[in-house]
Amino acid sequence: MAVAGVTAFCCPLVSVRRPARRRRPTTPRASGSVEIRVCTNRTCARQGGREVLAALEGLAPPRVDVASCGCLGRCGAGPNIAASVSGSAAVFGHVGTAARAAQLLEHLLGGSGFDAAAGLAALAAREKAEAALEKGDATAAEALLTEAIGMNACGGLHLLYRSRSNARLSMGNITGALADAEEATKIAPKFPQAHLSRGDALFAMEEYRHAENSYADALDLDPSIRRTKSFRARVQKLREKLVSADNSS
Ligand SMILES: *[C@@H]1O[C@H](CO)[C@@H](O)[C@H](O)[C@H]1NC(C)=O
Ligand SMILES: *[C@@H]1O[C@H](CO)[C@@H](O)[C@H](O)[C@H]1NC(C)=O
């Protein structure tokens, strides 16, 4: 990875150990594979590490693997991010805003691999839409998300479809909600929330067994979901429906 000439980040780049190899990989890593790890340990979290993680998840193209990690050292100069491109790794400091995160992606992927302006515009529109949905304005949310989907950003499309699915479900557009949730699972099969939204749409269609399967898919991908209030509420609602269906058959 070309690391010389990066001036957007004030800290010198520090080499980190290459990530441990998986045992007996079945396929060699595609050349150009990119991994990004955002420190969310105490000091970096205080400096906005979690928000930057969320921004990167929304901006990164699907081929980029984004996740959180523990301490990378250099505490206080964060949020710190380790990035590896085709196995060559470096740590970047002071990546504290979505704009900085976009700059980092541009640096790692090259200008032709990432459109920062479109990515940031779509991210901002989604955040606005999710705030509108939170306030109960599903119509405004749906319009903003439709606009954001049209921006042709390189990443975050699964998040846009997932959110629009939720907005459409709130509006009572169940078939639209299901179509969007399915689009999100197609783009990002390992994104648990897309399976939850798909389950919610199927539940609204009274397809309870299919809804159950979608919730189970989400749980397989992220077992920690089981403990969340919203998941427990889904399971409870589903159980009531399945029990009454069994009783009437
Ligand atoms: C997080 O930071 C604390 C100290 O601030 C340290 O004890 C702990 O090991 C760190 N955890 C990880 C996963 O790096
Ligand atoms: C519901 O969503 C579909 C997309 O699947 C869209 O074409 C349709 O216009 C929406 N209907 C309403 C009433 O919003």
Side-chain angles (χ1 to χ4, degrees), residues 41-43 69-72 75:
N41 203 351
R42 207 172 310 163
T43 309
C69 68
C71 187
L72 296 167
C75 303

Side-chain angles (χ1 to χ4, degrees), residues 128-208:
K128 214 167 138 188
E130 285 168 359
L133 190 57
E134 191 89 359
K135 278 191 256 155
D137 193 349
T139 309
E142 204 256 4
L144 278 162
L145 290 160
T146 298
E147 197 184 315
I149 287 167
M151 288 174 186
N152 290 320
C154 312
L157 208 52
H158 61 302
L159 299 171
L160 295 173
Y161 278 108
R162 189 278 307 252
S163 288
R164 196 173 68 175
S165 173
N166 295 351
R168 285 185 166 170
L169 192 61
S170 294
M171 294 164 75
N173 186 348
I174 302 173
T175 49
L178 182 64
D180 277 355
E182 291 192 329
E183 190 62 32
T185 61
K186 213 178 326 153
I187 298 166
K190 292 186 178 162
F191 176 44
Q193 278 73 22
H195 295 275
L196 292 179
S197 294
R198 182 168 182 273
D200 292 345
L202 289 164
F203 184 93
M205 288 174 168
E206 303 183 3
E207 297 274 2
Y208 302 124

